[in-house]
Amino acid sequence: ALADGKYYFRVVASDSPANAPESAREGELVSAPVLIDQTPPAVRLSAPRRSGHTVEVEAEVNDAASPLRSCEYSLDAGRWTPLAAEDGIVDSAVEKFLVRLPGLGSGEHLLVVRAFDSGGNAGLARVLIREP
């Protein structure tokens, strides 16, 4: 298997095994760059903090091989909700996100944050939120 990174592939074709040296032909082609990315993004979550009736959790996502493409969260195994990057667009290898959860009921809640990179790899992190 190849390590993560950008690769160029060179293909050489020759008909010399079937032809005399003076009539043999050879050609080659170099590919466009191909990205190999098998490593998921690393997702780090801050400890939950309260701001009035809202719980906030900061997420920092880092990918070593390719730019990030999206980030989303799920609360208590609910539907995935997209998150906006702090800088407005998810397009860098490092992005920050803020999850705002207003009006959580009392008890324990599980927050899962998932991020995808350009290679389609997913990384995730979880945090347990305890509301009085």
Side-chain angles (χ1 to χ4, degrees):
L2 295 172
D4 289 354
K6 285 186 182 176
Y7 291 88
Y8 294 87
F9 294 95
R10 184 173 68 137
V11 177
V12 178
S14 173
D15 65 0
S16 63
N19 290 294
E22 62 275 1
S23 62
R25 299 279 185 249
E26 182 174 289
E28 72 176 55
L29 174 70
V30 176
S31 74
V34 175
L35 174 65
I36 303 292
D37 180 3
Q38 303 172 44
T39 305
V43 181
R44 287 186 321 155
L45 302 179
S46 70
R49 68 174 183 267
R50 284 163 190 76
S51 176
H53 296 290
T54 301
V55 173
E56 296 180 344
V57 176
E58 294 175 345
E60 183 174 316
V61 183
N62 187 329
D63 192 89
S66 65
L68 298 166
R69 285 293 168 241
S70 66
C71 189
E72 55 195 2
Y73 75 90
S74 173
L75 182 66
D76 297 330
R79 68 179 179 84
W80 290 100
T81 303
L83 287 168
E86 282 188 357
D87 67 1
I89 186 166
V90 183
D91 64 348
S92 301
V94 178
E95 295 284 357
K96 292 184 180 182
F97 304 88
L98 179 63
V99 181
R100 296 177 47 84
L101 304 168
L104 284 180
S106 61
E108 291 186 344
H109 301 278
L110 179 64
L111 173 68
V112 179
V113 175
R114 175 172 72 177
F116 292 90
D117 64 15
S118 298
N121 303 300
L124 60 86
R126 302 173 180 94
V127 66
L128 189 61
I129 301 169
R130 292 183 174 90
E131 284 292 289

